[in-house]
Amino acid sequence: YADYLVINVSSPNTPGLRDLQAPCSLKKLLEACLQERNKLQQKTPLLVKIAPDLSNDELRDIADTLLECKVDGLIVSNTTNQRPSSLVSPNSKEVGGLSGRPLKARSTECIRLMHAHTSGCIPIIGVGGVSDAHDVFEKLKAGASLVQLYSVLAYEGAGVVTRIRHDLAKLLREEGFSKVEDVVGYDHEELYWEKRQERLMQKRKR
């Protein structure tokens, strides 16, 4: 009954779990999971959730593995182990994953890098520090096809979804976009126009 399945290899709260993001380990895991998924009558999309605390080289290696294994999607990103100097809470030194606004910039940068490393061939769900329509807009431009909310739901409740949707529709009009699809990957100029041309060609064939 799931819309999609997620292989979470990036929880910062499980010792050793992030080691599965290494190419060899990740490939073995994905091949086994995809083999079992493909036995199902309904092949539910299989996505991989990665950490924000990865170098560009590590992100590139993961991208190559995901493309090779032909996964259906990517979630960027999980919570972070990093503790920015801007944190003022006395609890800032606690161990565990940090979510919310301090994660926003790094999450968006990881989305941008993974969209580039995969040439936009793998749909990305952007997560991390989203609290308003501008945050959603930035993640879409970076390369996210969908955006998830977490921390803001705890602070503002489910009504925040309606607010963000309304504000995003207004923002899209102000920026000259007619639909969300046209924003995805806008930060990647050459790749963006290549993908846009492909969509136009597909529409003409229908």
Side-chain angles (χ1 to χ4, degrees), residues 72-128:
D72 301 297
L74 177 62
I75 300 180
V76 184
S77 67
N78 213 315
T79 53
T80 178
N81 281 325
Q82 301 299 313
R83 294 296 184 268
S85 59
S86 58
L87 296 179
V88 296
S89 170
N91 300 318
S92 63
K93 302 300 181 183
E94 287 187 353
V95 176
L98 178 68
S99 63
R101 190 159 293 278
L103 176 62
K104 181 175 72 171
R106 179 55 188 168
S107 166
T108 303
E109 180 60 15
C110 287
I111 292 168
R112 185 174 290 108
L113 290 169
M114 291 304 285
H115 184 78
H117 292 331
T118 61
S119 299
C121 292
I122 299 179
I124 295 174
I125 298 179
V127 195

Side-chain angles (χ1 to χ4, degrees), residues 10-121:
S10 55
S11 171
N13 305 312
T14 306
L17 180 65
R18 289 189 169 186
D19 294 341
L20 292 175
Q21 294 174 117
C24 184
S25 299
L26 184 59
K27 182 179 179 182
K28 289 180 180 178
L29 176 62
L30 291 178
E31 288 177 341
C33 290
L34 287 166
Q35 184 177 12
E36 292 303 313
R37 190 283 306 269
N38 291 339
K39 294 177 182 178
L40 302 175
Q41 184 174 0
Q42 180 175 336
K43 294 179 176 56
T44 305
L46 192 66
L47 284 70
V48 177
K49 188 172 186 177
I50 65 171
D53 310 312
L54 295 163
S55 68
N56 190 28
D57 287 341
E58 288 172 323
L59 290 173
R60 186 181 290 107
D61 287 342
I62 289 174
D64 290 343
T65 302
L66 299 182
L67 288 168
E68 181 182 354
C69 293
K70 296 182 172 59
V71 300
D72 301 297
L74 177 62
I75 300 180
V76 184
S77 67
N78 213 315
T79 53
T80 178
N81 281 325
Q82 301 299 313
R83 294 296 184 268
S85 59
S86 58
L87 296 179
V88 296
S89 170
N91 300 318
S92 63
K93 302 300 181 183
E94 287 187 353
V95 176
L98 178 68
S99 63
R101 190 159 293 278
L103 176 62
K104 181 175 72 171
R106 179 55 188 168
S107 166
T108 303
E109 180 60 15
C110 287
I111 292 168
R112 185 174 290 108
L113 290 169
M114 291 304 285
H115 184 78
H117 292 331
T118 61
S119 299
C121 292

